[in-house]
Amino acid sequence: MSQKTQNDKSARPHDTPFKQQKLASWQPILTPRSVILTFVIIAVIFIPIGAGILASSNSVIAVGPIRYDQDSDSAQTFVSFTWPTTTTDNVYIYYQLSNFYQNHRRYVKSRSDVQLSGTSLSAKQTLGDCSPWETFADHFPSKINAASIPTSTPLSQLKLNPCGLIANSQFNDTLSLYSGLCRDATECSAQTPVSWTNKGIAWASDKEKKFHNLDGFNGTATLEQQTNVEDEDFIVWMRTAGLPTFKKLYRIVNGGLKQGNYTMAINQNFPVKSFDGKKAFYLSTVTWIGGKNDFLGWAYVVVGIICLVLALAFFIKDKLHPRNIGDPRGK
């Protein structure tokens, strides 16, 4: 009997406020005044924030998205548009793809972060994460001349670098921007090309930590490495999108654009017909909240207005039909 009592005591939690659930607690009493005051405070905070976000969003200058893949048989396309206002803010040029599922599980997993970091994979290391495109036998890289491969070397022994579906399906349309209107290459050659850059389009953390070439790689495709993984266009593509319609940053026009007509010349290399996709480009300035997006601002305003209406409703109810605190009969 004494043994059982001793075992019961050993299993008993220590007599501390935490284990015995004796910690001090506080439970607010929701009075009409406190509820009304809470709703008013939320409204006072949310409505100005929403108005500020909307004002910032409305100050963004944007054109597009402008689709350019309708003439799928044309290797080169010329699309004219008007930039509405002169600005000295940087203009960001994006390309947009539709019906391209970068978020597909098999697509997202098909990459080797070890390889992308600049590590040369040994024979003992596997490229299993890159399935189904791991070797030259799975997908022959377009940048490699087949004649340069020794006939004694099986394609299955040559590793793709970078390997995987993401790295080997990179968007490769080339875009050029000209001031003025032009309908073909001859007319555009007489116009002034707009200067832009791809420096700064990728995340700094990606450039510094995640993507590095093999030692000795000079940008020319070899059997050891076929693509410059430090190229910012490549890095941007490797950061997969979460939705089937997405925009990715392509170039930055430092110093902005003047009001007027422009022409985008596009060399179409990226096929979309096979998956019923669409291609477009988009130009925009940015503010402290990013690009043009009214949803967040209206969300704040609507929530603030709802809180204000509820505060008014509770105030009227309390004045017309008051009740004593804690009285369940409402008297």
Side-chain angles (χ1 to χ4, degrees):
M1 191 70 176
S2 60
Q3 182 68 29
K4 183 178 179 181
T5 303
Q6 186 176 358
N7 291 339
D8 289 344
K9 289 183 177 180
S10 64
R12 183 181 302 170
H14 295 293
D15 188 15
T16 62
F18 178 77
K19 291 188 176 181
Q20 295 296 334
Q21 299 184 15
K22 297 178 181 179
L23 291 173
S25 62
W26 175 74
Q27 183 176 354
I29 299 175
L30 298 179
T31 64
R33 289 185 178 180
S34 64
V35 172
I36 293 170
L37 182 62
T38 300
F39 279 130
V40 170
I41 291 174
I42 294 174
V44 169
I45 294 174
F46 273 45
I47 292 177
I49 291 177
I53 293 175
L54 286 173
S56 181
S57 177
N58 290 332
S59 68
V60 172
I61 307 170
V63 172
I66 302 174
R67 188 179 174 186
Y68 65 83
D69 65 302
Q70 294 92 330
D71 189 3
S72 59
D73 296 330
S74 176
Q76 193 172 38
T77 304
F78 299 86
V79 181
S80 298
F81 63 92
T82 300
W83 184 254
T85 306
T86 298
T87 177
T88 57
D89 296 332
N90 292 348
V91 177
Y92 297 81
I93 289 87
Y94 304 81
Y95 60 85
Q96 177 176 298
L97 291 177
S98 299
N99 206 36
F100 191 100
Y101 288 82
Q102 272 199 319
N103 58 351
H104 192 285
R105 183 172 181 270
R106 191 180 189 189
Y107 187 88
V108 171
K109 291 185 64 179
S110 185
R111 61 187 290 164
S112 172
D113 289 315
V114 174
Q115 188 188 58
L116 291 170
S117 66
T119 302
S120 181
L121 299 179
S122 65
K124 293 182 180 180
Q125 290 176 302
T126 178
L127 291 175
D129 291 341
C130 288
S131 178
W133 285 359
E134 299 181 349
T135 67
F136 282 28
D138 302 323
H139 173 76
F140 195 89
S142 59
K143 297 178 181 179
I144 295 295
N145 184 0
S148 64
I149 300 176
T151 55
S152 60
T153 303
L155 295 181
S156 59
Q157 293 183 5
L158 296 175
K159 298 175 181 178
L160 288 170
N161 185 6
C163 64
L165 292 173
I166 310 176
N168 290 280
S169 61
Q170 182 184 353
F171 180 83
N172 59 349
D173 284 2
T174 58
L175 285 69
S176 302
L177 184 62
Y178 296 90
S179 60
L181 301 177
C182 51
R183 294 170 295 180
D184 53 39
T186 302
E187 291 184 2
C188 285
S189 63
Q191 302 292 345
T192 303
V194 175
S195 177
W196 59 19
T197 181
N198 70 340
K199 301 301 180 184
I201 65 174
W203 290 19
S205 58
D206 287 349
K207 293 186 292 183
E208 295 170 3
K209 299 179 180 180
K210 294 184 178 181
F211 294 89
H212 297 285
N213 293 318
L214 294 177
D215 292 338
F217 181 76
N218 61 4
T220 303
T222 64
L223 297 182
E224 289 72 30
Q225 181 174 341
Q226 298 84 53
T227 300
N228 179 13
V229 301
E230 295 180 5
D231 177 60
E232 294 200 35
D233 287 315
F234 177 82
I235 296 174
V236 168
W237 177 258
M238 292 299 293
R239 184 167 285 278
T240 53
L243 297 173
T245 297
F246 57 85
K247 293 190 288 286
K248 288 184 180 287
L249 186 57
Y250 182 74
R251 293 292 182 270
I252 302 173
V253 180
N254 292 314
L257 292 172
K258 294 182 179 180
Q259 179 182 8
N261 296 319
Y262 293 85
T263 299
M264 188 73 76
I266 306 111
N267 291 318
Q268 299 201 56
N269 305 310
F270 190 82
V272 295
K273 189 175 181 180
S274 60
F275 58 89
D276 195 25
K278 299 176 183 177
K279 296 187 291 186
F281 64 86
Y282 179 81
L283 296 86
S284 175
T285 59
V286 298
T287 63
W288 62 275
I289 62 165
K292 190 174 185 64
N293 185 355
D294 294 340
F295 174 79
L296 183 61
W298 280 115
Y300 271 99
V301 171
V302 169
V303 170
I305 292 175
I306 291 174
C307 289
L308 197 60
V309 171
L310 289 175
L312 181 60
F314 286 152
F315 177 79
I316 295 174
K317 167 66 171 62
D318 185 54
K319 290 300 180 183
L320 295 181
H321 303 285
R323 57 175 290 183
N324 296 325
I325 304 300
D327 187 353
R329 298 170 299 174
K331 295 180 181 180

